[in-house]
Amino acid sequence: MGEGNPRISVICPWTEEKIRKELLEASLERQTFRDFELILLNNRELGMDRASRVLNEGARRARGEILLFVHQDVELLGTDFLSRLWEDCRGRDFGIGGVAGVADGKETVWSTVVQGPEREQAGIRLTEPRTADSCDECLFFIKKKDFLGFSDLGATWHFYAVEYCLHCRTEGRPVVLFPLPVYHASPGWSIDEGYWRTLDRVAALYKGKVK
């Protein structure tokens, strides 16, 4: 990793060390781009009950120009993932960037993510950058100079990136999906009662502000 302030801060809340090392950390070791720092947030030790607090703490510690928030069970595919990310971020203005999301005011999912044990394509394969309505939380990134902070949606680990996307859109800051390939070991479903409560809360916050 580079000396001084790095270009990219990789921020990962985690609970399962084996999964984190085998997927995320192993893929980071393969990157040709070395000007990054890895900020690991052990939530068993932190004891925080909501995503907003953990991720804001990670952003507070970060020294990089780009804040890359990623799940512990994500693998960056290719040895040039971080170099491509850096070039994409330098060459485009956006409020938040991601690798999967919903676009066109519909339920259409565009994605570079393969997921689950069978490594199935999630949604329609993304081959070029495109604006979106919101992005998925498995991996997303924000320029530190533009970071707004994550809103407190209560004791939940749902919708924090979606709410951030809506916040950006109310300020005229685009949500952009980039064709950067990743593998997400989870099949992508983690719906519980808290999911629906948080969805209602986010919908109420932005009713009449965003389609």
Side-chain angles (χ1 to χ4, degrees):
M1 301 182 192
E3 297 179 358
N5 288 344
R7 290 179 173 176
I8 299 175
S9 295
V10 180
I11 301 169
C12 176
W14 67 278
T15 55
E16 301 294 336
E17 184 176 33
K18 183 175 185 292
I19 292 172
R20 188 199 79 220
K21 287 184 173 181
E22 290 180 352
L23 291 172
L24 178 61
E25 289 191 48
S27 66
L28 285 171
E29 285 298 318
R30 294 192 291 268
Q31 296 300 305
T32 56
F33 183 100
R34 305 307 301 166
D35 198 1
F36 71 90
E37 65 176 349
L38 176 58
I39 298 173
L40 297 173
L41 301 161
N42 182 346
N43 201 47
R44 294 187 190 280
E45 292 181 356
L46 293 173
M48 296 182 180
D49 64 352
R50 60 201 68 198
S52 58
R53 290 179 181 171
V54 177
L55 297 178
N56 284 334
E57 172 61 19
R60 186 190 67 79
R61 298 183 191 183
R63 298 174 296 129
E65 296 177 47
I66 304 299
L67 307 178
L68 170 59
F69 298 93
V70 60
H71 285 188
Q72 64 184 359
D73 61 345
V74 164
E75 177 185 354
L76 311 181
L77 299 180
T79 59
D80 62 346
F81 183 97
L82 289 182
S83 61
R84 291 173 59 190
L85 173 76
W86 173 250
E87 291 302 321
D88 284 343
C89 288
R90 290 178 63 196
R92 191 164 190 137
D93 182 47
F94 59 92
I96 180 172
V99 295
V102 176
D104 305 323
K106 303 175 182 177
E107 294 183 3
T108 305
V109 175
W110 294 84
S111 161
T112 61
V113 177
V114 292
Q115 64 184 16
E118 303 302 320
R119 293 186 175 244
E120 297 175 327
Q121 171 67 35
I124 300 172
R125 186 168 175 268
L126 184 72
T127 58
E128 59 184 6
R130 66 172 298 143
T131 56
D133 300 326
S134 63
C135 67
D136 189 82
E137 287 151 358
C138 69
L139 184 150
F140 61 93
F141 41 94
I142 303 163
K143 295 180 181 180
K144 187 171 186 180
K145 67 180 182 63
D146 299 326
F147 182 57
L148 303 170
F150 295 101
S151 299
D152 188 349
L153 298 174
T156 181
W157 289 83
H158 298 294
F159 290 105
Y160 51 89
V162 171
E163 191 280 332
Y164 193 98
C165 290
L166 295 173
H167 189 171
C168 285
R169 289 170 58 197
T170 63
E171 297 194 353
R173 303 283 295 162
V175 179
V176 180
L177 304 179
F178 293 88
L180 300 164
V182 304
Y183 167 61
H184 188 202
S186 166
W189 299 104
S190 58
I191 296 177
D192 55 18
E193 184 180 348
Y195 177 96
W196 301 110
R197 286 199 304 268
T198 310
L199 175 59
D200 287 343
R201 187 174 295 121
V202 172
L205 284 172
Y206 289 92
K207 183 178 181 179
K209 298 179 182 178
V210 180
K211 277 190 175 183

